[in-house]
Each structure stands twice: as C-alpha cells, then as structure tokens.
Amino acid sequence: MGKPATGAAARAKPGVGKSVVGTPIVGKSTVGKPAAAARQGRPKTANRLKRIEAKHAAILDAALALFSRYGLHGTTVEEIARTAGVSKTNLFYYFASKEDVYVGVLSRLLDLWLEPLREFQLDSDPIEGIREFIRRKMLFSRAHPEASRLFCLEMVQGAPLLRGELETSLKALVDSKVPVIEAWVAAGKLAPVDPHHLIFALWATTQHYADFASQIDALLKTGLDDDRFVEEATRNVQRIVLDGLRVRNEG
Amino acid sequence: MGKPATGAAARAKPGVGKSVVGTPIVGKSTVGKPAAAARQGRPKTANRLKRIEAKHAAILDAALALFSRYGLHGTTVEEIARTAGVSKTNLFYYFASKEDVYVGVLSRLLDLWLEPLREFQLDSDPIEGIREFIRRKMLFSRAHPEASRLFCLEMVQGAPLLRGELETSLKALVDSKVPVIEAWVAAGKLAPVDPHHLIFALWATTQHYADFASQIDALLKTGLDDDRFVEEATRNVQRIVLDGLRVRNEG
DNA sequence: GTCTATAGTCGGATAGAC
DNA sequence: GTCTATCCGACTATAGAC
C-alpha cells in the first residue's frame, strides 16, 4: 500500500508520515547507500560494489541536474531514472524514496561547496589570498553551476535539510576564519571591515554568476560557458572588492 | 473533465496541454484579472470592483508567501486559498489556474523589483549615487524579502516566465545606465570598471541578505528583521564596494 | 459568488515474476 | 537485480446546487 504523502502535505505537516525532508543530514555515511543493498544479501565482490557505486553516482548526477533546474517538487522520479538511464523501479531499488535521492544529492553538494572556503588560507598576504579566493570561487561556479544553483535553491527556501550542517560544519569553518581576518584588520593589512560581511560579499559576488546565469544571459547573451567572460568577470570582481569604485590618487 | 497536466509533465512537454508556464509575460494588464469576472456578467459598481480587487490582492499576497518558500510545485492551491482566507473553489473563480496565480504574482513582482534600478539616477556624484543605491536596495530587501526570494527562485530555475521581460524591460533599463557609468569612468570620477559587472556586484551583494537569509541566520542568529544588522550590513557593503579592502594611504 | 462533491489524472511507491 | 503491472493518495479543476 503506497504511502505517498508527497508534495505540500508532506512538508505542511512535519512529523506526520515518513517524510525525510526536515530531517537534518546527520550521518552522511548512511545517506546515499542503496536502500535494499544496504542490508546486504550476499558477500559483494569489488566488482559488484563498483558497478553499484557507478549506478548510484549516475542517479545522483541526473538528480542534481534536474533538481537544480526544477526543484524537488518540480522533478519526477521517472525523469531522474530516464536521465540516469535506469528504470524507475530500479531507482527505487537503490534509493528508498525520492527524498532519499534528494538528501543524497545535497549531501555530496555541501562538501563540494565548502571546499573553496576550506582552502581560504590567506597565508601571508591577505590581498593576494582574497584575490585567489575569488578566482577559485569563480572557477567553481563555472565547473559546478548546477551545484551552485541547487545550493542557492535550498538556501532561498529556508534550507530545512541543511540547517543542521550550516550551524555546525559551515559555522565552524566561518568562525575559524573570522579571527584571522580581524587580526589582519588590526595589523593594518586590510581596510576596517566586518569579517562576516566580507565573507558574504565574496560569496555573493562570485555565486551570482552561476545563480543568476539566466539573467546575465538575457542581458549579455553570454555566461560562464565563455572563458573570456569568466576572466573578465573575475577581474572585475577582484577590482571592485579589492580596490573599490572610488578613484585612487596614489599609485 | 479535468486536464491537470500539472507538475513535471507540463513543463517537460511544452506545448502539450494548456500550461501557461513557459509563456512570457506580454500583456501584463490581462494577467491577474479574475477568470470569470474578466468576461463580465453585469455592470460592476465601484464597490464591487474594490471588493474583488481586495480578494484578488489577498490571494496574490498569500501566493507570494508560499511560492517564495516552497516554489510553484511545492505549493498547493488549497494552501494558497486557506492562507488567503478563501475557499479553494472560490480561488478558481478568480483565477483560471494555479499557474495563472503564479504569473500574477511574478508580474507584480517584476515591477517592484525594477523600482530601485529605475531610480538609479547617480546624478552628479557617482559615489554618492552608488552609496544611495545600495542603501535603497538593502531597504528593499528588508521590506520585501519574499519578493526578492521568489525572484531569485525564478532566476535560478532559468526564468522561463520572465525571460521575455528580462530581455526587454530589464535590458532597456540596464542599457540606459551603462553609458552613464562609462562616462563617469572616462571622466575619472569612477575607477575603471565594466558597467555590467558593477551592476551585478551591486545586485549580488545587496540581495544576498534576503536570498541567503537562512544561511545568515544559521551563522549569526540574526538577519534583516534586526534594524541594527541592516545598518551594519549596509555600511559594510558600501565600504567594500566603494573603498575596497586594500588599505589606503591617502586620507 | 460561494459552497459541496467529485471527476480526472499524475506520480510515488510496492508486489511479485523472473 | 531488474522488469511489468498496478495500487493509491494527493492535487488540480469542474459540475451543479443554492
């Protein structure tokens, strides 16, 4: 007997039904494991595991592409399966539910998204470090525009799934960078600015190119596909953030 | 006989069914008019029209709140109706379909969203003009966070409905500002920067506070509700964009 | 104009053969 | 592990009484 409880009803009445959405990602290791295969049947050879992983990844890839374009409720399991090259029934062999797929996608996503921030190591020269961070973020936006957009979608909608991770992983990461930035400001190596707002500005300006790609395309008929455009965008963001718009009198 | 063709199927097969999504907003005046009332039955008194408009607006307000949180497919007509304080059937008396409601919301939205840009009149002093623009944008983000988020949702998902408007209204508006900015740069009143990327940076940094509110809340436990936070955010964005992060030696 | 009842269909999830 | 067939709840939209 199916217990769909799909769509609005599922989120409107949290706690009712088995809805996974709303449950923060805690044990990432259990997420994304095959639904039936998880409770193993027979000893798996390395080959078996590899084929399973490949299929698994194919489904997640397909799901990312669709979820980022149409959202969770705008995407059907049928479409995900077709895009991944598997049958709908087969997809349900690997994932317990549609939301299980969604959680799997988001889980991979967050690690990916946090990467540039983790490498935010502004060593000796903060100016050079920020310039490099912007460059990396822009490259990330170009390499993973769908990931950036799905992340944005989640944020805009309140990130019920990621909230837990944001308050732990992300916050810890941000908190670790704040004193560094503060020290630079104190040492006169950086103009006086609040570390958090600085980080927000860096995120906003760089992700904008992936998240608002359709707007940019409508205006300029170009975007992150064009290497020249990426270069130009990177240069301009670096200039604005580092030097500002006010004309300088010094060299 | 209902022909729902809702959800994924509707957008996956454009042209099939009566799906409105995908049709650019052309005649805004016809959008948002009562479905049945549009083809008038009897002469409407001023009072009648006023009550109709009020109900109409209530539905659109409720829809904006829900669409911005859960997206088009994550929101049910039933919820919109309940939130607006009308029955579902009654909602269908005023709007031909769910997508008709959605189009109505987006239509109102774009006008609202374009407003700050329209007033981007950087008169004599560009620095003062940009500072003021940032302030206005931040106030807009605070006053209409839901509008900002729904706009963002649409953009991220490819803006099938707004594309036409973006390529006309928005583009015309942006195009009219570009030569002004270029002239300032040429006159040495502004650091050398590409006008489009400047505009993108202004949009990105200011809207970020509405669109990523949940992230900011997870990190700082505050947001646009707090006047002090809004002030601080405004000040920091202005400082970063206008003066940059590099330490200045001059006064 | 507003309501009750319901038609029609979509899409998530399962059963069970192979 | 994969497939065919199917179930069934949720949701959009309409019919028709009042």
Side-chain angles (χ1 to χ4, degrees), chain B residues 4 20 24 30 41 64 85 130 149 165 170 196 238 251:
Chain B
V20 183
T30 66
L64 170 59
I130 290 172
R149 282 194 281 267
E165 288 283 308
L170 181 63
H196 286 111
Q238 288 171 336

Side-chain angles (χ1 to χ4, degrees), chain A residues 201 204-209 212 215-216 218-220 229 232-233 236-237 239-241 244-245, chain B residues 113-122 126 129-131 133-134 137-138 151 166 169-185 190-208 211 237 241-242:
Chain A
T205 48
T206 50
Q207 290 198 205
H208 181 84
Y209 289 94
F212 281 68
Q215 190 186 57
I216 292 169
L219 287 174
L220 303 177
F229 179 77
E232 208 188 330
N236 274 278
V237 170
R239 178 180 292 263
I240 292 172
V241 172
L245 296 170
Chain B
W113 195 84
L114 284 178
E115 210 181 292
L117 184 61
R118 275 194 232 279
E119 295 179 24
F120 193 16
Q121 285 299 358
L122 321 184
I130 290 172
R131 185 197 308 281
F133 178 77
I134 290 170
K137 260 294 196 182
M138 290 296 296
F151 189 77
L166 295 182
S169 305
L170 181 63
K171 186 170 192 314
L173 206 49
V174 170
D175 283 351
S176 74
K177 307 299 181 189
V178 166
V180 181
I181 297 173
E182 280 172 344
W184 282 327
V185 172
L190 213 58
V193 68
D194 180 277
H196 286 111
H197 292 287
L198 165 54
I199 291 172
F200 295 156
L202 294 178
W203 281 341
T205 47
T206 51
Q207 289 198 207
H208 181 84
D211 300 341
V237 170
V241 171
L242 291 177

Side-chain angles (χ1 to χ4, degrees), chain B residues 18 65 82 85 88 98 101-102 106 151 158 170 175 180 247:
Chain B
K18 301 183 182 179
R82 192 172 50 242
K88 188 171 64 162
K98 181 190 186 180
V101 177
Y102 192 70
L106 274 193
F151 189 77
L170 181 63
D175 283 351
V180 181
V247 177

Side-chain angles (χ1 to χ4, degrees), chain A residues 20 44 75 82 84-85 127 136 147 161 163 203 213 217 247-248:
Chain A
V20 183
K44 291 168 197 61
T75 302
R82 193 171 50 243
I127 299 298
R136 257 201 288 258
L161 271 147
R163 178 145 203 113
W203 281 341
D217 186 67
V247 177
R248 287 174 182 265

Side-chain angles (χ1 to χ4, degrees), chain B:
Chain B
M1 321 136 189
K3 300 165 191 159
T6 58
R11 75 163 154 65
K13 304 170 188 172
V16 174
K18 301 183 182 179
S19 177
V20 183
V21 166
T23 306
I25 301 172
V26 182
K28 271 185 289 186
S29 53
T30 66
V31 170
K33 285 283 174 60
R39 44 177 190 274
Q40 46 64 56
R42 39 196 135 159
K44 291 166 196 63
T45 71
N47 238 339
R48 264 173 86 87
L49 277 175
K50 223 166 82 180
R51 275 192 36 235
I52 286 177
E53 264 323 300
K55 212 157 192 176
H56 206 79
I59 291 171
L60 289 181
D61 285 344
L64 170 59
L66 291 165
F67 285 147
S68 69
R69 237 189 288 283
Y70 309 113
L72 170 59
H73 302 295
T75 303
T76 70
V77 174
E78 171 77 41
E79 282 178 302
I80 299 173
R82 192 172 50 242
T83 307
V86 303
S87 71
K88 188 171 64 162
T89 323
N90 195 224
L91 184 149
F92 278 115
Y93 176 79
Y94 289 97
F95 290 90
S97 68
K98 181 190 186 180
E99 294 187 344
D100 191 30
V101 177
Y102 192 70
V103 171
V105 172
L106 274 193
S107 175
R108 277 203 319 183
L109 204 65
L110 189 68
D111 278 350
L112 202 65
W113 195 84
L114 284 178
E115 210 181 292
L117 184 61
R118 275 194 232 279
E119 295 179 24
F120 193 16
Q121 285 299 358
L122 321 184
D123 313 312
S124 42
D125 183 22
I127 298 298
E128 215 28 69
I130 290 172
R131 185 197 308 281
E132 177 63 14
F133 178 77
I134 290 170
R135 198 185 66 86
R136 257 202 287 256
K137 260 294 196 182
M138 290 296 296
L139 290 181
F140 179 86
S141 283
R142 184 183 62 174
H144 308 283
E146 292 174 338
S148 184
R149 282 194 281 267
L150 184 55
F151 189 77
C152 182
L153 265 186
E154 259 311 280
M155 286 299 137
V156 168
Q157 301 189 346
L161 271 147
L162 288 176
R163 177 142 203 116
E165 288 283 308
L166 295 182
E167 288 176 345
T168 54
S169 305
L170 181 63
K171 186 170 192 314
L173 206 49
V174 170
D175 283 351
S176 74
K177 307 299 181 189
V178 166
V180 181
I181 297 173
E182 280 172 344
W184 282 327
V185 172
K189 289 178 166 178
L190 213 58
V193 68
D194 180 277
H196 286 111
H197 292 287
L198 165 54
I199 291 172
F200 295 156
L202 294 178
W203 281 341
T205 47
T206 51
Q207 289 198 207
H208 181 84
Y209 289 94
D211 300 341
F212 281 67
S214 60
Q215 191 187 56
I216 292 169
D217 186 66
L219 287 174
L220 303 177
K221 299 284 174 204
T222 183
L224 294 173
D225 300 330
D226 181 2
D227 282 352
R228 298 248 316 269
F229 179 78
V230 174
E231 266 178 51
E232 206 189 332
T234 304
R235 219 170 31 240
N236 274 278
V237 170
Q238 288 171 336
R239 177 179 294 262
I240 292 172
V241 171
L242 291 177
D243 295 311
L245 297 171
R246 206 191 298 272
V247 177
R248 289 173 181 265
N249 296 323
E250 43 166 349

